[in-house]
Amino acid sequence: MKLIVSQELKSRLGNAALNGSIIAKDILAEIHRKSDASEIVRGTINYFDTKRKKTAADGHTKIKVVFTACSKDLSHENFPDKGNPQAPWFKENRTDMEPATFVKCFTSLPDYSDQDMEYFANCICVDSRVTVKLYSTMQDFIEAYSAENYSTIAQAGDSTLHNSCMRHEETARNAADFYFNFAGAQILIATDAAHNILGRAIVWPNARTNSTDTPITVSVVDRVYYTHSFVHKMILRHAEEVGITLRKRHNDYSHCADFVVMNPVEGLDADPGATLALHLSIKVPASKWHKRGVPYMDTFLSIRVARTENDKLQLELTNWRDSNRIANCQSTSGYAVRERVVCPACGKLHDNPDRGLCASCYDKMTEQTLLGRIIVGKSVKYQGRTYPADLIHKGKPIPTLVLYQQTSKLFGEN
């Protein structure tokens, strides 16, 4: 007798093989052999199929796939349904099997690693080819973050994608604006055949090392959010294939400085696979940013003020904290947590958000009267607000005021 396999199982194995499962690929090769079933699988077991076990979750369904097979001896004289071609598919004649048990039914397959077995068990739950691509437009960010675009199914465990605090419409749009316009990031997106989102990861193409003697430019794939754990691995594999140099060593929000080298980096003395502890910074083109707030940041959690070679002030994202930090970006409120204030007059940092100006500039630009403090000298109106004239030049705010206005939006102000 030949090996009998349902169309659904063949489909799942085919897609699992396309999605990177070596076990699925090997089993398909066994199924396509023209040998008798007794030479391929153990005992009299045959008529293989799959069964989905569903659990309702918030906004999606958790699915676990188990395998089923007929373990009865169909030719035995006492088999009650002998001669009935549908008998092997009757529920009472079938046995449920976990993925590992199913794999061990095949006599010629090798012993697989626990990682390969876990990948197969997770991969078989998605009956679709998964595609991973690197995207770079704001609309791509919006689609990847919006929960309405997520796959309606996920693994039996936790789906980090469906639990993301940035999945709601308003936070998704603000996160997209921040990443695209403020931070200049890209995004890796995994989709199924119906274009549902199964995973995403922010990519930082131009991070710089701050813990080496000479700054080195590296690209970084940030924390991966996924519906199934094999999608996490597919995203990292694609990131490596397109030349991204570093990935997070731990897929979480707390190990911000630990990385694994995926591709060689000129100037960085580390081979692929090496683990490194690095302080990284990203110069951000904040001038295009128009929304308010900040998404929850897994790695580049701090915003700091730095000086350029021309002694101009600019903002940087970093995975570390120092005295120049102005904001912490690990809040689920949709806004940053203020740590210091940029003076709109001189650009120095201070700790009084109620006043705006640092103590020195405050004393120079205002004076105390019976009616309270007033601006010394001329004042001008700009966008409906009154400023000391020194902060507005030729009808436009000076660079330090622009920086103050930009940073105010991080906290939902201005």
Side-chain angles (χ1 to χ4, degrees), residues 105-125:
C105 289
F106 293 82
T107 57
S108 299
L109 295 183
D111 290 331
Y112 296 100
S113 68
D114 291 342
Q115 291 81 6
D116 287 339
M117 194 66 74
E118 180 187 0
Y119 193 99
F120 171 72
N122 201 265
C123 195
I124 205 73
C125 297

Side-chain angles (χ1 to χ4, degrees), residues 2-15:
K2 68 178 182 178
L3 197 65
I4 308 298
V5 179
S6 72
Q7 284 302 118
E8 180 178 342
L9 177 52
K10 287 181 181 178
S11 176
R12 287 188 178 277
L13 288 170
N15 283 309

Side-chain angles (χ1 to χ4, degrees), residues 37-296:
S38 62
E39 298 179 20
I40 300 173
V41 294
R42 304 179 192 280
T44 60
I45 198 164
N46 205 340
Y47 295 90
F48 292 96
D49 198 2
T50 58
K51 182 167 67 176
R52 291 171 291 175
K53 293 186 176 181
K54 300 180 181 181
T55 305
D58 184 15
H60 64 285
T61 302
K62 295 182 179 182
I63 291 181
K64 177 183 178 181
V65 168
V66 296
F67 298 85
T68 69
C70 178
S71 57
K72 301 292 181 67
D73 184 356
L74 304 180
S75 61
H76 195 280
E77 60 181 11
N78 294 326
F79 182 63
D81 297 310
K82 189 174 181 179
N84 187 338
Q86 294 302 313
W89 305 104
F90 293 166
K91 183 178 180 180
E92 61 270 21
N93 294 330
R94 301 190 66 75
T95 300
D96 290 356
M97 295 181 289
E98 293 296 318
T101 305
F102 169 70
V103 173
K104 291 177 181 177
C105 289
F106 293 82
T107 57
S108 299
L109 295 183
D111 290 331
Y112 296 100
S113 68
D114 291 342
Q115 291 81 6
D116 287 339
M117 194 66 74
E118 180 187 0
Y119 193 99
F120 171 72
N122 201 265
C123 195
I124 205 73
C125 297
V126 177
D127 191 14
S128 167
R129 183 169 187 173
V130 177
T131 302
V132 181
K133 289 184 180 180
L134 182 64
Y135 296 88
S136 57
T137 72
M138 183 170 167
Q139 186 59 35
D140 295 323
F141 282 90
I142 294 173
E143 292 179 2
Y145 270 78
S146 299
E148 63 183 20
N149 298 320
Y150 293 175
S151 169
T152 57
I153 66 168
Q155 63 188 16
D158 289 334
S159 166
T160 60
L161 184 67
H162 288 96
N163 291 331
S164 167
C165 59
M166 294 291 114
R167 68 188 185 276
H168 307 291
E169 182 179 357
E170 183 177 357
T171 53
R173 183 167 292 277
N174 286 358
D177 181 50
F178 180 91
Y179 281 120
F180 181 70
N181 289 320
F182 182 90
Q186 297 174 320
I187 188 167
L188 283 164
I189 305 174
T191 56
D192 62 17
H195 305 291
N196 299 305
I197 307 294
L198 276 72
R200 56 171 165 79
I202 295 297
V203 172
W204 306 99
N206 295 302
R208 284 163 41 101
T209 61
N210 290 76
S211 45
T212 55
D213 293 336
T214 302
I216 300 167
T217 299
V218 294
S219 53
V220 182
V221 57
D222 211 319
R223 182 182 180 185
V224 182
Y225 288 80
Y226 54 86
T227 58
H228 299 77
S229 60
F230 82 92
V231 175
H232 174 205
K233 294 179 175 63
M234 286 190 71
I235 288 175
L236 293 182
R237 186 162 58 241
H238 186 79
E240 183 177 352
E241 290 171 354
V242 299
I244 296 171
T245 52
L246 300 177
R247 67 169 174 83
K248 286 176 68 74
R249 183 180 181 186
H250 305 280
N251 194 52
D252 61 17
Y253 60 85
S254 57
H255 296 82
C256 299
D258 297 333
F259 300 95
V260 175
V261 178
M262 294 195 297
N263 288 290
V265 183
E266 185 176 353
L268 197 63
D269 187 19
D271 295 325
T275 58
L276 300 172
L278 294 172
H279 282 178
L280 302 176
S281 62
I282 299 167
K283 297 178 181 178
V284 294
S287 59
K288 296 190 295 180
W289 184 45
H290 60 277
K291 294 281 185 182
R292 296 182 183 182
V294 172
Y296 186 97

